[in-house]
Amino acid sequence: MMKKTFKLSLVCASIFALTACGSDDTDTTHLEEQIQTLEAQNDKLTKEKASVQSESDQYRNQAAELTATNNQLQEKAVGYISNFQEQCAEVGITFDYENPNPENPYINNGKTPELLMARSYSIVNSMPNQPNNHEGRDNSTCTNCHSEQVPDKHFGENCTSCHNFAEPEPTDPVTPTEPGAPGNPTHPADGNWDGLTGASAPSTFYYNTDGASFVNAEYLNTRLGKQNTFYEWKESSDGTSDVKSACGLANREHITTMFPNDGKPYELAEYKNFKGAATFITQRKENGESIASAATFGPGMHKGEDGEFYVTMLIGKNNTCKNLVNNSKGEIHYYEFDTRSNVKLGSPELGARNAGARIQVSTDYAQSQLNSFDWSTPVYGANGEAFDPTAVDWNTVGACSLTLKVEVIYPLG
């Protein structure tokens, strides 16, 4: 009776404004049925809510598991990225790798730049013959270009600081010519090298049948003194620390090394190396004995107007210079080595592990000159006429601008 009275009191409180409730004179049966119905509905809703909450918790747990799995897969996927192109594709930037040295058969990362000659040829002989137009420039600037003793000749590297050169007249484009086949002999043309090599098995020991020896002057001209171009990530305050930005840098397509992505700023730096090593072999006399000298330089090679091939270089006064002047001859061993190839004489995929040629040269005294200690003022030569090597006072010489005629090209051995 107390429980029923309490329920009635609640009902009466809610409908007090409509009725005059009392515990003695009011029939509450209908209201009690409504309350029971509402309580049943409330219990049902509570159970349904608990069921929905349980299902929601289950979905939330599944979502968390899926997120964790996705993160693990992403980490695993990133772990499989092995080059810069894949690294960029991961951030939505796709591009293919391009070999910056497409002409090089031995490496897959480099390009062949323009003809590289020693300064003695490219600067002295290729500068335009400009009159003495030195207004507004001091003497120290002009002597970087040419000496006071020979004002119409150009030396050194800084001629543009002394002269203003007019733009050259437009010329018709020259149809490029293919270099000769590496193994097609030109010096001598018949490829008879027995007397030069002394080898017992020319078909194998010379490497020539495998294209490993560059006995064609035209082809050798594309290798000797030329450089390959490479790129590397270099720490720089002007660089970027963001992978996506790095993927938009100039020359991005020429590198496969992954961007460091360690929070430090990097730039894409370019550097160059010679395709091969050129070792000069010369002889000198000391106390009646013949002594060999060997030195490695980076000479240039070019084809002269006379159709002959020449090797040029600018070096300090050393044994190689003295020997080439005094003896008028020497030998160059040009050598390229591909560390990736495990086949000595060559492979279809990588080419020969050993490549190059041996070159016999003679000194051209008319195109060579001996300079003073400033490396630019001529002491002997520079007038287009041959100088006498026996009259040279080496105490006055500081550098040698040498032009060597290619006499014989023969295979490695």
Side-chain angles (χ1 to χ4, degrees), residues 60-97:
R60 187 179 294 108
N61 292 337
Q62 289 177 350
E65 291 176 0
L66 288 173
T67 299
T69 301
N70 184 62
N71 289 338
Q72 291 176 354
L73 291 174
Q74 179 66 15
E75 291 177 2
K76 188 175 182 180
V78 171
Y80 282 117
I81 293 176
S82 59
N83 59 51
F84 184 52
Q85 285 68 40
E86 293 175 353
Q87 204 175 15
C88 290
E90 179 67 18
V91 295
I93 301 177
T94 57
F95 57 90
D96 294 328
Y97 168 76

Side-chain angles (χ1 to χ4, degrees), residues 21-77:
C21 295
S23 59
D24 297 330
D25 57 358
T26 302
D27 184 4
T28 64
T29 303
H30 180 65
L31 291 175
E32 290 178 0
E33 291 176 353
Q34 285 184 324
I35 290 172
Q36 289 176 355
T37 300
L38 291 173
E39 287 180 339
Q41 291 176 346
N42 185 61
D43 290 341
K44 182 180 179 181
L45 290 174
T46 300
K47 292 178 181 179
E48 289 178 351
K49 178 183 178 181
S51 176
V52 170
Q53 183 65 44
S54 176
E55 188 174 3
S56 176
D57 292 341
Q58 182 180 358
Y59 287 147
R60 187 179 294 108
N61 292 337
Q62 289 177 350
E65 291 176 0
L66 288 173
T67 299
T69 301
N70 184 62
N71 289 338
Q72 291 176 354
L73 291 174
Q74 179 66 15
E75 291 177 2
K76 188 175 182 180

